Amino acid sequence: MNCPRCKSTNHKKNGKISERQRYKCHDCGYNYSVEIKSTACPLSVKRQALQLYLEGLGFRSIGRFLGVSHVSVQNWIKSFGEGVEELKSENEIDIVELDEMHTYIGNKKYCWIWIAVDRVGKKFIDCSFGSRGTETGQKLWKKLERKKIEEVMTDHWRTYAEFIPKAIHTRSKAETHTVEGYNCIFRHFLARLRRRSKCYTKSIKMLKYSILLLMKYRNKELAMFN
């Protein structure tokens, strides 16, 4: 069976669900089954659900709008998140801005999202999740240190000085205007990250999927919308 999303014949077996064989497409990363139930929603509806989600609606709002269960919407977003690839970025970047923002997981457990942004290219570069301590920052820096970076701009949070080379590091609140603007994109376009919202994150996995999907979407890297 060809991939329902991109029609590719390049696939592999990927386990079974409810006794139905699952496949994973090598070309677009989509997971699908041999048989599709007659009651299943077409891909166009799932794509619309994803776009509504990345424009700021929550699962229940999308479900009401499309006339489907909010659980179905959540499963579709999860599936898109599982199939998405890592962000693309240049190997040579003039100025990288780093910042961290907090959110909650489950019952008010703090989680910090560390974000790297290309100031000149106006793109998200990468992110990491965890505490506000050095370990989480180092996870993000490990993804960046293989690139040729001219300058790194951060605020005065002391942890940055522990892993960013001093020769390229500038600490100034005035030099993090781009990444702070991109933080606002998360707050505005992901319902789960808004302050005083009824939407919230139950699992770190869904938070990671949501952040990565929005980054890809804003970078114009999601093939289904290009």
Side-chain angles (χ1 to χ4, degrees):
M1 178 180 177
N2 294 346
C3 173
R5 178 186 287 176
C6 68
K7 308 304 180 185
S8 171
T9 58
N10 186 18
H11 60 258
K12 67 176 181 180
K13 290 184 178 180
N14 193 26
K16 289 186 177 181
I17 295 182
S18 301
E19 301 304 317
R20 293 192 299 158
Q21 180 65 55
R22 293 274 288 173
Y23 290 89
K24 183 172 183 177
C25 177
H26 281 297
D27 292 336
C28 70
Y30 186 64
N31 291 291
Y32 59 96
S33 302
V34 174
E35 300 174 4
I36 298 180
K37 296 180 180 179
S38 59
T39 56
C41 287
L43 180 59
S44 59
V45 174
K46 298 177 182 179
R47 188 185 294 118
Q48 187 178 11
L50 175 61
Q51 188 163 17
L52 291 171
Y53 181 67
L54 298 178
E55 292 291 343
L57 272 66
F59 294 148
R60 293 180 185 274
S61 297
I62 297 169
R64 288 192 295 269
F65 184 80
L66 297 179
V68 298
S69 165
H70 71 276
V71 177
S72 295
V73 175
Q74 179 180 353
N75 290 335
W76 297 342
I77 303 304
K78 182 180 178 182
S79 179
F80 282 123
E82 290 172 341
V84 77
E85 298 175 351
E86 293 183 359
L87 281 87
K88 302 173 185 177
S89 65
E90 302 295 332
N91 289 324
E92 297 185 11
I93 305 174
D94 291 333
I95 303 174
V96 172
E97 294 185 24
L98 302 182
D99 198 16
E100 70 287 342
M101 61 183 289
H102 83 271
T103 185
Y104 302 100
I105 302 291
N107 188 21
K108 294 293 182 178
K109 295 179 182 177
Y110 256 67
C111 178
W112 287 86
I113 308 167
W114 292 62
I115 303 158
V117 169
D118 179 353
R119 179 192 287 186
V120 179
K122 301 296 183 184
K123 285 188 175 184
F124 290 106
I125 302 173
D126 223 315
C127 61
S128 63
F129 303 82
S131 70
R132 205 185 181 193
T134 306
E135 183 181 352
T136 310
Q138 286 176 327
K139 288 180 185 177
L140 177 57
W141 184 249
K142 190 169 283 188
K143 300 176 183 179
L144 303 177
E145 62 182 357
R146 291 169 292 184
K147 302 178 184 296
K148 184 179 178 182
I149 298 172
E150 296 293 330
E151 296 181 82
V152 180
M153 307 297 183
T154 73
D155 57 22
H156 292 280
W157 178 236
R158 61 182 180 275
T159 301
Y160 290 113
E162 297 180 21
F163 56 85
I164 300 175
K166 189 175 181 179
I168 62 172
H169 188 194
T170 299
R171 301 172 68 184
S172 170
K173 193 70 175 174
E175 295 291 346
T176 58
H177 49 84
T178 305
V179 69
E180 287 174 1
Y182 277 54
N183 284 343
C184 291
I185 289 176
F186 287 124
R187 297 287 188 199
H188 184 77
F189 290 103
L190 283 179
R192 66 181 60 229
L193 292 185
R194 286 194 200 118
R195 295 181 174 93
R196 298 183 180 182
S197 171
K198 289 187 177 181
C199 302
Y200 67 98
T201 298
K202 292 183 179 179
S203 72
I204 187 68
K205 275 189 176 181
M206 281 304 296
L207 177 62
K208 289 180 179 179
Y209 294 152
S210 300
I211 293 292
L212 186 55
L213 284 166
L214 184 62
M215 282 181 161
K216 297 276 285 185
Y217 183 59
R218 303 299 297 189
N219 282 2
K220 302 188 185 304
E221 293 177 19
L222 280 180
M224 68 185 76
F225 298 128
N226 294 339

